[in-house]
Amino acid sequence: MSAPRIVTLDGPAGVGKTTLARRVAEALGLAYLDTGAMFRATALALGPGARELPGAGLRARLEGLAFGLEGRGAASALRLNGRPVGEEIRTEQVGMLASDVATLPEVREFLKAAQRAVGRATALVAEGRDMGTVVFPEAAHKFFLDAAPEIRARRRCEQLRALGAPADLDAVTAQIRARDHQDRTRAVAPLRPAEDALVIDTGPLDIDGVFAAIMAALGRS
Ligand code: DC
């Protein structure tokens, strides 16, 4: 069976999309595009004043950002203006800043064009919030992963503790709820499943279980 061209994987913060998208891409021999990383890197590059910029000023700043994707599978690497996008984007503060700039139509239009350009050049597993609904509505294989905020917060705390970092369950649950609210209620491209997406409740499953469900739906089990 030949590999699909575009597989979309959408869902809320902390549901395990990044780990799964990387694994599915590796198994299918496709590139993997983390569009949350594009929003995070854009938020960092624009800085906290992005909201106050007039539309034309914001568009001019965005035109200075050139994204590229190299490699395949687990080795897929996002680059911004020729430099690798690194771990500096992975804090919850940058996640919230990304969620803020993701409400700006200029930012969404700019990144949608950049994401589609990557998709034209390379067969992809694309992970984010609006991959199945807005960016790649024509994709033949769409997945939407979900789980209650408390479950996602508990998993994130376990990850943080495994890294030796402090983790406060109440604080992490509050952060996840705040980001959910902003991502689901924004006017442009809100987080929701595409009508033709397979919705997977990851609550009762571990990563291996979700991976198996996705591969089975792709006819690869
Ligand atoms: O998946 P993530 O946590 O890395 O995403 C960070 C933020 O970026 C998320 O809260 C909302 C925004 N985002 C988006 O609006 N659309 C996407 N396709 C991906 C991310």
Side-chain angles (χ1 to χ4, degrees):
M1 194 191 243
S2 63
R5 243 205 68 64
I6 306 272
V7 176
T8 65
L9 210 54
D10 289 304
V15 80
K17 297 184 303 292
T18 306
T19 308
L20 282 156
R22 194 179 284 137
R23 252 178 96 170
V24 172
E26 180 71 21
L28 298 177
L30 302 182
Y32 149 61
L33 181 65
D34 176 351
T35 63
M38 296 173 86
F39 280 91
R40 286 168 183 260
T42 299
L44 271 187
L46 293 175
R51 284 198 159 275
E52 279 70 54
L53 288 172
L58 179 55
R59 278 191 290 275
R61 294 279 306 279
L62 290 166
E63 289 308 326
L65 305 181
F67 283 99
L69 185 67
E70 287 181 357
R72 272 195 199 190
S76 304
L78 183 67
R79 296 177 85 84
L80 174 54
N81 294 344
R83 289 195 206 97
V85 172
E87 288 302 306
E88 68 281 0
I89 64 166
R90 292 291 162 204
T91 66
E92 186 50 35
Q93 284 73 11
V94 176
M96 197 62 204
L97 208 58
S99 177
D100 287 343
V101 301
T103 63
L104 301 172
E106 292 86 354
V107 171
R108 297 213 74 85
E109 275 308 308
F110 175 77
L111 288 181
K112 180 170 76 179
Q115 291 153 6
R116 285 185 176 163
V118 174
R120 276 194 300 275
T122 322
L124 280 183
V125 178
E127 175 245 300
R129 301 290 186 289
D130 59 344
M131 295 299 103
T133 49
V134 175
V135 178
F136 299 114
E138 74 290 357
H141 306 281
K142 301 181 185 178
F143 298 92
F144 188 93
L145 309 184
D146 214 347
E150 296 74 17
I151 293 178
R152 288 181 274 134
R154 202 187 60 227
R155 289 179 185 156
R156 182 150 282 180
C157 285
E158 282 163 8
Q159 284 167 354
L160 288 169
R161 289 189 191 118
L163 294 170
D168 179 90
L169 184 60
D170 289 343
V172 174
T173 309
Q175 284 167 346
I176 281 191
R177 282 187 187 282
R179 207 131 72 83
D180 272 8
H181 178 73
Q182 181 151 286
D183 292 346
R184 288 185 203 266
T185 59
R186 66 174 172 237
V188 192
L191 171 66
R192 63 175 176 80
E195 276 175 19
D196 51 349
L198 176 67
V199 178
I200 301 178
D201 175 9
T202 73
L205 301 170
D206 60 9
I207 288 282
D208 289 342
V210 184
F211 176 71
I214 292 173
M215 295 307 282
L218 292 171
R220 300 293 175 123
S221 50

